[in-house]
Amino acid sequence: PIFAEQGAFCYSFFCRELVTMRLCVCSLVMMLLPTLANAGWFGPPQYVKDACKKWCDAEAVDADSNEACKACTGGPQTNSECENSECDYCKRDITFPRHYPKLWKQEPSFHGKMTKLEGKTRCWCDTGCPVYYLKSMLFCHSECNEICKKAQGDHGPDLRSESPDVVQVTV
């Protein structure tokens, strides 16, 4: 009986320490996010900012530059089907096919990346952005799982926990 009491004490002590460590790590990350954002870890890379400046400086001259500048300054694309109707987060921001202006697809400093992303979603199998990768995994998992299966010919990984390769251990 005395060993059982010591085991219970150790278990509760371990759980408290684990929770405290998690809270500390979360607090540290939350404090560092503004610093990381200011350091340029979030937002477009410098070559995108340079191209956007070029297009916005010339937006009064031609329609293509005007369209490219609007894409730069308009914020993240949203599904046009959701402009006058109610949509959930996934349909509005993640699972719709994206389209880019002509100058974005032709910009040499983008190295053809926009052409590869044309018609793709923000699901984890399509996006190169770590933020949208995580958002699609966390908030739109089932929708993106279906899209990614179709994109990979129904041979893609099913990332649900029912997979026979996943071993669950209980303590």
Side-chain angles (χ1 to χ4, degrees), residues 1-63:
I2 194 161
F3 294 114
E5 290 173 10
Q6 287 177 342
F9 171 75
C10 290
Y11 181 75
S12 66
F13 177 76
F14 175 74
C15 288
R16 269 187 291 170
E17 290 300 313
L18 186 60
V19 168
T20 303
M21 286 184 349
R22 284 187 178 175
L23 287 173
C24 290
V25 169
C26 287
S27 298
L28 180 65
V29 168
M30 294 303 285
M31 288 187 307
L32 288 177
L33 278 178
T35 305
L36 296 174
N38 288 336
W41 284 29
F42 300 103
Q46 189 59 46
Y47 67 90
V48 174
K49 292 176 185 177
D50 295 342
C52 285
K53 180 176 179 351
K54 174 179 68 175
W55 296 323
C56 291
D57 288 347
E59 77 175 312
V61 177
D62 69 299

Side-chain angles (χ1 to χ4, degrees), residues 129-143:
C129 174
V131 173
Y132 284 114
Y133 183 95
L134 285 173
K135 285 182 174 185
S136 69
M137 288 288 279
L138 295 173
F139 305 120
C140 305
H141 187 85
S142 60
E143 296 91 336

Side-chain angles (χ1 to χ4, degrees), residues 37 69 106 161 169:
C69 180
Q106 295 175 347
S161 62
V169 177

Side-chain angles (χ1 to χ4, degrees), residues 51-118:
C52 285
K53 180 176 179 351
K54 174 179 68 175
W55 296 323
C56 291
D57 288 347
E59 77 175 312
V61 177
D62 69 299
D64 289 338
S65 293
N66 186 23
E67 182 187 24
C69 180
K70 282 183 182 177
C72 290
T73 59
Q77 286 185 28
T78 56
N79 191 340
S80 58
E81 293 177 13
C82 299
E83 287 178 10
N84 297 320
S85 64
E86 281 292 314
C87 293
D88 65 3
Y89 171 75
C90 297
K91 184 174 182 178
R92 185 186 67 241
D93 289 334
I94 303 292
T95 61
F96 70 98
R98 295 173 291 160
H99 300 288
Y100 295 94
K102 179 177 115 178
L103 293 179
W104 279 58
K105 292 184 265 186
Q106 295 175 347
E107 175 60 36
S109 66
F110 291 1
H111 305 288
K113 290 179 183 176
M114 300 285 87
T115 305
K116 291 176 187 173
L117 290 174
E118 181 70 23

